[in-house]
Amino acid sequence: MRKTARYASLAVSGLLALSSLTACANDAASSTSAGGSKGDGKGTKVKIMVGGLDKVIYMPAMLTQRLGYFDSEGLDVELLSEPAGVQAETALVSGQVQGAVGFYDHTLDLQTKGKAVESVVQFSHAPGEVEVVAAKKAGDVTSPKDFKGRKLGVTGLGSSTDFLTKYLAVKNGVNVSEFTPVAVGAGPTFIAALQQGSIDAGMTTDPTVATILDKKAGKILLDMRTPEGSQEALGGPYPSSSLYMQTDWVNGHKETVQKLANAFVRTLKWMSTHSASEIAAKMPADYSQGDKALYAEAIKSTLPMFTKDGVMPANGPETVEKVLKAFNPNIKNAKVDLKKTYTTEFVEAAE
């Protein structure tokens, strides 16, 4: 039996050029762990789509490759990158890849659409997201209560930043029809939208947050990079970044999934015993955009969100369900079997 944890429109005019970080991420994504056998001995090559390889919230994906842990498990893993988690989800469901690194909340949303998908390694117990307000609007937008009539940046429509933004609005008395979500991606496209007034505020992650603060382009409105921040904003632990896969594929390739879990759990443990600077030094040089100190600071600010063992936090799925039910009619009117949205079978057996 499977063991599971206890219930516990781009806003800028024209098409903005893709960020240099995203370009670097896509270059890095084409690299594959060298050598080793093909997964479970069936010639299986594992492709994993990441909702932004350069985002600190998804750092365990590239870090595992850089540390050589996929290789040591005899895995042939190819990391691919899309700018938003919802695109990683699409790639997984369409069969383009075997795994996705994105937010756990997609597993609940997909279940209501008849898709069986589960988190097999839970990287985090907090969203790692930050709501920032444009410097020029800081005096007008002081809490989510001020979202009414505003243009709010998200990575993509239907993304987890979109989900969380809608929840924060509804929780604070603002209907989802009373503000405009704008897809602005991350990195330079997000920052440009903030500076040019295409958005009044928006939700993003590091290293974008660190750059915004460094440029004095905006101020932090809500910080959900820590469990405490998650508790304050969302009312409990919020499992976010994870490795999730289609349940049928997991059941048919358990040896491969176990090796993936071994590699990722090993990385999470390594992260918990090394400094932000040591972690930054292991990442692709271009991720720092020429400012190693700022990049290390971005990692340091986000480290509290990560688990040390890949296990789903107690009561985490319930918090996510509560958040989604607040605004998502598909989930509000559906019965979600949370036990089928994640498993701890593999992380508990990780070596």
Side-chain angles (χ1 to χ4, degrees):
M1 290 288 290
R2 173 85 39 92
K3 292 182 181 177
T4 56
R6 187 173 59 87
Y7 279 164
S9 117
L10 222 47
V12 287
S13 59
L15 289 174
L16 288 174
L18 288 175
S19 75
S20 59
L21 270 183
T22 301
C24 294
N26 284 324
D27 288 342
S30 66
S31 63
T32 303
S33 295
S37 62
K38 300 292 185 180
D40 56 7
K42 298 178 181 179
T44 302
K45 174 180 179 179
V46 183
K47 292 184 180 181
I48 299 176
M49 185 67 78
V50 184
L53 266 170
D54 56 316
K55 295 178 184 178
V56 179
I57 58 171
Y58 299 143
M59 186 170 60
M62 179 55 74
L63 185 56
T64 301
Q65 187 179 72
R66 302 284 288 190
L67 290 171
Y69 293 164
F70 290 138
D71 287 343
S72 65
E73 289 291 331
L75 290 171
D76 184 10
V77 175
E78 182 177 2
L79 297 175
L80 304 168
S81 187
E82 286 283 5
V86 65
Q87 292 161 320
E89 169 199 299
T90 300
L92 177 70
V93 174
S94 66
Q96 296 176 51
V97 296
Q98 289 74 52
V101 170
F103 269 38
Y104 160 72
D105 54 22
H106 291 293
T107 67
L108 280 73
D109 189 49
L110 285 168
Q111 187 182 113
T112 67
K113 299 171 182 176
K115 305 293 184 181
V117 175
E118 61 188 7
S119 166
V120 295
V121 184
Q122 194 59 50
F123 297 161
S124 60
H125 46 194
E129 302 282 356
V130 178
E131 184 72 23
V132 294
V133 58
K136 295 177 182 178
K137 301 289 184 179
D140 301 323
V141 182
T142 59
S143 83
K145 294 179 181 179
D146 300 319
F147 282 177
K148 187 175 182 178
R150 302 294 178 179
K151 293 173 292 186
L152 304 177
V154 297
T155 53
L157 301 181
S159 67
S160 295
T161 52
D162 190 18
F163 290 166
L164 287 171
T165 298
K166 288 175 178 175
Y167 173 73
L168 291 173
V170 171
K171 180 185 177 184
N172 288 275
V174 180
N175 193 282
V176 294
S177 64
E178 295 180 309
F179 68 91
T180 304
V182 185
V184 291
T189 55
F190 185 101
I191 297 169
L194 200 66
Q195 292 176 316
Q196 295 171 8
S198 300
I199 58 175
D200 301 307
M203 191 173 292
T204 191
T205 62
D206 276 311
T208 306
V209 175
T211 303
I212 289 170
L213 298 179
D214 187 58
K215 291 177 176 288
K216 295 180 171 53
K219 295 184 178 180
I220 291 177
L221 188 66
L222 286 173
D223 192 338
M224 295 178 285
R225 291 176 292 189
T226 67
E228 294 78 15
S230 176
Q231 179 71 42
E232 182 178 352
L234 306 173
Y238 196 92
S240 57
S241 56
S242 65
L243 170 67
Y244 62 87
M245 312 179 87
Q246 296 203 60
T247 301
D248 283 347
W249 199 92
V250 172
N251 291 336
H253 303 80
K254 288 200 171 189
E255 184 179 343
T256 295
V257 177
Q258 185 62 63
K259 290 177 179 180
L260 286 167
N262 292 345
F264 279 124
V265 170
R266 190 176 174 188
T267 296
L268 291 169
K269 290 179 179 178
W270 187 93
M271 287 168 57
S272 72
T273 58
H274 289 76
S275 69
S277 294
E278 290 172 322
I279 295 171
K282 291 290 184 180
M283 300 298 285
D286 288 339
Y287 281 22
S288 68
Q289 285 194 304
D291 194 331
K292 294 182 179 180
L294 186 63
Y295 182 57
E297 187 61 31
I299 291 175
K300 182 179 180 181
S301 298
T302 305
L303 275 177
M305 73 174 279
F306 294 106
T307 66
K308 296 179 181 180
D309 54 13
V311 175
M312 176 66 72
N315 302 317
E318 287 80 1
T319 303
V320 173
E321 182 181 34
K322 178 195 70 174
V323 167
L324 297 182
K325 279 184 176 292
F327 67 87
N328 188 322
N330 291 333
I331 293 180
K332 185 176 183 177
N333 301 316
K335 180 175 176 58
V336 178
D337 189 343
L338 293 177
K339 291 183 291 183
K340 293 182 178 180
T341 62
Y342 69 99
T343 176
T344 61
E345 174 186 348
F346 303 100
V347 291
E348 287 177 351
E351 298 175 354

